[in-house]
Amino acid sequence: MQWRFLEGVPAELQGQGFALLNTTAMSIQGVGPLVFGVFAGFVPVGVAIAVTGVGSVATVLLLCEAARPGLVSAGAA
């Protein structure tokens, strides 16, 4: 994944680009537990865990599709 990012960022901005990439990734990793933690305050914990699992699987599937867009379109053709 980082090679694709590296190819898309000009050489003179790669340091800043990777810093932004890492900061964004860490921020998103912190927001997820916060959101589902608040959600768990309003529904039974088992439901919150199940929704978190479904959300995690959906996120992975979406990211896999975004990482390999040619794979999905080639299979449909």
Side-chain angles (χ1 to χ4, degrees):
M1 292 293 272
Q2 289 182 348
W3 281 107
R4 291 180 64 193
F5 180 78
L6 183 64
E7 291 172 354
V9 177
E12 64 273 4
L13 297 176
Q14 287 179 354
Q16 291 174 329
F18 274 109
L20 182 61
L21 176 68
N22 288 332
T23 301
T24 303
M26 287 188 292
S27 297
I28 291 171
Q29 289 171 355
V31 169
L34 174 68
V35 169
F36 285 112
V38 170
F39 183 64
F42 296 100
V43 299
V45 175
V47 172
I49 291 171
V51 170
T52 302
V54 170
S56 297
V57 170
T59 300
V60 169
L61 292 175
L62 289 172
L63 289 175
C64 284
E65 184 176 332
R68 295 184 213 135
L71 183 65
V72 175
S73 61

